[in-house]
Structure formats: structure tokens, C-alpha cells
Amino acid sequence: MAEVNPNVNEVNPGETEENPGETEENPGETEENPGETEENPGETEENPDLEENPYLDDYNSSLNDGPVSRTSGVAPLAVHFFADFVDSASGAERIDRYHHYDYTWNFGDTGSGIWGTSGRSKNMAKGANAVHIFEEGGVYNITLTIRNHSGIVGTENYTVTVTDPDSFYNGNTVCVNRSGDNNFSGAPAGALQINSDSISTITQYAKAGNRILFKRGSSWTTAGLDWPSNAGPVTIGAYGTGVNPDALGIYENAPRITVTSGSFLPLGYKQDWRLMDIHFIDASGYTANCVSGSVNMQRQLLLRLKVEGFSSGIGWS
């Protein structure tokens, strides 16, 4: 039987804007992004926002060290899966199970659509490890079917509960429009509506449990920004009707943010943040970053971003 490549295939293409997996753009916990260590302790006196953040316990309790990285959270929710059939073995048996069995995941997310690059369903994936982004609220029943040359040898079942973002962020959403434009059509009900040409006046609202949405079809220019450090969840995205999506689902009228220097979003000491549906443009002469970071960056999701002109659009150090 041919070896199964669990990382990159047509059904589960791995590194894409729609399915970033654990990559340079979405590193999870890696050598470059070790999470909480002696050198990177997370909650410290130097970083009191994390220490005192009431969402931290809820965040940590939502993580699962087993075959499912997260069993609950607010949409869009990126979840990493790893077959317990492999993880429960060791030595040569573990290697054999990883390479010589066929793994088919059904995420129970029939409305997730198809990949624009292959036309295959996003609801299915192949390989012992897989990633799926749940973009709608609901309870999802995930099934893994394991086969060898003789047929089905086992199944595994998991449940992921995803909270609708409009419900989760109700009363904690800020919708931003340019000064002088009072058309906030498409803004979620109850959102705080702010007119501002300066994003630096908006960053204060990025508190744990808050969402900031920029109007589609509008543009801003900014130098590098300072954002609060917290354990999330925080979403920075777009509101209004999207038009003319490309093959990756990026809308033609995504909010345009031009960065003149520094970094739009330094992700150090931030956990469970989502940056999505925005078009970033470099106007610095290749010295700015769209997203950067160095320490204590966990569970970051970068989704449907168009990053144009940067020498290092996504940079870690």
C-alpha cells in the first residue's frame, strides 16, 4: 500500500491562507514559538495583563493535549487533530501506524465549502494529522476512519463545540469606519460604531473577549501599532458585504490598511487572536511588517489575508 502523506495533499493541502496549519504564519507551539518556558514564562510581573486576565483560565481549560488541540472556542476556530491510533503506540509500531495506514477525517462541517485550488471538499482530509477551521457556530461530530490493506481497522470520534461570534462578542464588538462616512450597514447588531481615520485610537478596544471590525471598501494608513497583551480571544476582521472573492476566498473589497513603518500587529504576549479578511499594503520601502512577534505567541489564526509588497509580511524572531 502506498504511503500516506498526512501533511500535504489535495484534500488537506496544508499551507494555504484558508488552512494555515502549523506554519510560519500559524506556528502553534514550535521551537521558534515555545509557549511558556523558563525563557518565555508567559504570566510574569513584566507582563501583568496576562497574569490578571480573567480569560486566561478559560483559555487554558479549552486546550486539549490529546488527539484534538481544542474542543471548544469561538468561530473561526482552528483545530489540530492527530490520530490517537498512532499516538497510543510507541517505537517501531508507532512509525508503522503513521506511515502504513490510511486515515480519512470527516469534520462534520458540511457547510465548509470546497477548496478554491482543487475543488475538493474542505470537510474531508487525509493523513494521521489534520487541521480544520470551523467558521460557523455549532456542535461538530468528527469521525476518523482508519484502514489498512485488509479494510477498515478502526474509527475514532470527537466532538468540537464552536460558539457563534455574533453571540460570543455581543456587546463587545467595535465597528470602525472612516471619518465622515456614517454608513455602518452590515455591522452586527449592538456594535459600538466609531468613525476614525487613525487606527491607533482603536487598538485600546482589543481586550480579551472583544472584536474589532473594519468596514469593507474603506482604507486606512498607519505606522506600527501597539496592541494590548492578553490571552484572548480577540478577533480583528471586517464587516459589510464582501464582493468578488478570489480562489482563496479573499474579497475584492476587503478593508485596505497601508503600513508605513513598524509592524501592524506584534503578536508577542498574545494568545488566541484572529486576524482575518483584511488587505495589507507596504508603503515603507520594505521595512515594515504586517504581523511580527517573538515570544509567547500561541493559537494565532491568520485567515484570508492579502499581504502585498512587504519584504517580510509575516515575520517571527
Side-chain angles (χ1 to χ4, degrees):
M1 178 177 178
E3 290 188 357
V4 177
N5 183 344
N7 295 314
V8 179
N9 52 59
E10 288 187 329
V11 180
N12 182 27
E15 299 179 26
T16 71
E17 292 192 52
E18 295 172 284
N19 181 26
E22 293 189 4
T23 69
E24 186 177 1
E25 296 180 353
N26 181 28
E29 297 181 12
T30 68
E31 185 175 356
E32 291 79 16
N33 180 29
E36 299 185 7
T37 67
E38 290 184 3
E39 297 179 351
N40 180 28
E43 304 173 48
T44 67
E45 293 181 0
E46 291 79 12
N47 190 29
D49 288 335
L50 281 180
E51 184 177 10
E52 299 173 2
N53 194 306
Y55 286 84
L56 187 59
D57 290 338
D58 291 340
Y59 168 80
N60 287 333
S61 67
S62 72
L63 303 183
N64 187 334
D65 292 331
V68 182
S69 65
R70 306 187 68 172
T71 57
S72 64
V74 61
L77 185 70
V79 181
H80 296 246
F81 298 89
F82 191 81
D84 190 56
F85 177 73
V86 174
D87 212 25
S88 61
S90 60
E93 177 65 17
R94 178 184 173 91
I95 295 173
D96 180 69
R97 290 185 181 187
Y98 187 85
H99 287 289
H100 298 124
Y101 287 76
D102 178 84
Y103 300 88
T104 302
W105 297 87
N106 183 320
F107 300 112
D109 188 6
T110 56
S112 55
I114 61 173
W115 293 106
T117 51
S118 68
R120 300 291 185 90
S121 172
K122 294 181 181 179
N123 188 44
M124 307 292 291
K126 285 282 192 178
N129 55 308
V131 179
H132 187 71
I133 299 174
F134 298 92
E135 295 205 51
E136 302 291 338
V139 178
Y140 296 90
N141 297 308
I142 297 92
T143 300
L144 169 63
T145 303
I146 307 163
R147 296 178 174 87
N148 66 6
H149 63 279
S150 299
I152 296 176
V153 297
T155 59
E156 297 175 11
N157 298 282
Y158 308 101
T159 300
V160 174
T161 302
V162 182
T163 304
D164 174 75
D166 287 339
S167 173
F168 181 87
Y169 292 115
N170 184 30
N172 294 296
T173 295
V174 175
C175 288
V176 186
N177 199 355
R178 293 296 303 270
S179 295
D181 183 355
N182 294 318
N183 182 359
F184 284 86
S185 59
L192 176 64
Q193 299 177 357
I194 296 179
N195 291 97
S196 179
D197 295 333
S198 174
I199 298 178
S200 63
T201 65
I202 303 300
T203 58
Q204 61 181 307
Y205 296 102
K207 300 176 182 178
N210 281 14
R211 175 174 63 169
I212 298 173
L213 303 177
F214 294 92
K215 184 182 179 181
R216 288 189 169 99
S218 295
S219 301
W220 287 263
T221 298
T222 184
L225 297 166
D226 291 323
W227 299 81
S229 296
N230 58 58
V234 171
T235 295
I236 302 172
Y239 73 94
T241 302
V243 298
N244 298 329
D246 64 14
L248 297 176
I250 300 173
Y251 290 110
E252 181 181 334
N253 64 337
R256 295 167 62 97
I257 297 178
T258 299
V259 183
T260 60
S261 63
S263 179
F264 173 79
L265 178 58
L267 283 174
Y269 294 105
K270 296 175 181 62
Q271 303 170 18
D272 202 16
W273 281 48
R274 297 149 176 80
L275 180 63
M276 56 189 292
D277 296 323
I278 296 177
H279 180 183
F280 290 99
I281 302 168
D282 175 37
S284 69
Y286 302 109
T287 62
N289 291 313
C290 170
V291 176
S292 64
S294 56
V295 294
N296 205 350
M297 302 175 293
Q298 299 181 26
R299 302 304 196 268
Q300 311 294 353
L301 175 60
L302 309 180
L303 180 63
R304 290 189 299 269
L305 300 179
K306 185 173 183 179
V307 180
E308 180 181 351
F310 295 85
S311 62
S312 178
I314 311 295
W316 314 123
S317 61

